[in-house]
Amino acid sequence: MPDFREKPVLSGETVVLRPVIADDAVDMLEVLADGDVLRLTGSHGTLSPDDVEPMRQWYGSRAEHDDRLDLAAVDRATGRYVGEVVLNELDPNNNSCSFRIALGAPGQNRGLGTEATRLVLGYAFERVGLHRISLEVYSFNSRARRVYEKVGFRPEGVLRDALLWEGQRFDAHVMSILAHEWAEHRGCPGSVESRRAV
């Protein structure tokens, strides 16, 4: 049965994913202080400095859990924490889980999210042995959807009016990627299609 007991360090050209630690709480609060990040992740509520200690405890306890993998995304060029990548909602009986990523402004628009997604998918399929990884992305988050499609996630359906944000309702699009799809393209489906066209 698959689990997330191992807490790996995954290194790419632009980003390093490492297990979260208690001290990451301060940096994550900074990421979540960005109203755009809150909107893109559908995170309601506001955070204050009083939230640091509960978050420190929560981040500090992640190593004890084998049903989820919480990794800090660190910009390789600066060594700066820029967000997190999470595999959660593990269903070991069906070899599946959910995926989410949250990057603050310093980690956006530079390819870090794409590389971080490929790194964690490779780990989940090739080392953990998962069969299916799914996610939800809100209808207004076209930038994230392009990243997910670029690495091989496929649309499955729509959760209508799933998010109420400032009085307006938005759909959530469900996407997934399967192990045999990952094995075929390793997060670069466009290159497989171009080879087939030749």
Side-chain angles (χ1 to χ4, degrees), residues 13-141:
E13 291 181 19
T14 61
V15 69
V16 174
L17 304 179
R18 58 150 174 84
V20 296
I21 57 174
D23 288 343
D24 291 330
V26 173
D27 293 321
M28 192 60 192
L29 276 174
E30 186 178 321
V31 169
L32 293 173
D34 183 335
D36 194 39
V37 171
L38 290 176
R39 179 176 170 267
L40 294 173
T41 59
S43 301
H44 291 284
T46 58
L47 297 168
S48 74
D50 295 337
D51 296 309
V52 170
E53 193 50 40
M55 283 185 69
R56 280 183 55 78
Q57 291 175 12
W58 192 87
Y59 275 100
S61 71
R62 297 303 87 199
E64 303 163 17
H65 296 268
D66 64 2
D67 62 341
R68 60 183 290 141
L69 179 62
D70 296 85
L71 299 174
V74 177
D75 183 342
R76 185 182 274 283
T78 64
R80 181 177 180 184
Y81 174 101
V82 293
E84 66 180 13
V85 177
V86 179
L87 295 173
N88 62 358
E89 299 177 358
L90 178 66
D91 180 348
N93 293 311
N94 292 305
N95 286 4
S96 66
C97 74
S98 295
F99 167 79
R100 68 178 174 78
I101 184 171
L103 298 181
Q108 296 175 9
N109 302 315
R110 299 183 12 232
L112 276 68
T114 301
E115 185 175 63
T117 302
R118 284 185 177 126
L119 286 169
V120 79
L121 291 179
Y123 173 78
F125 287 125
E126 297 168 20
R127 298 260 303 273
V128 178
L130 292 181
H131 173 72
R132 179 178 185 273
I133 300 174
S134 62
L135 61 82
E136 294 176 15
V137 58
Y138 294 115
S139 55
F140 53 76
N141 196 349

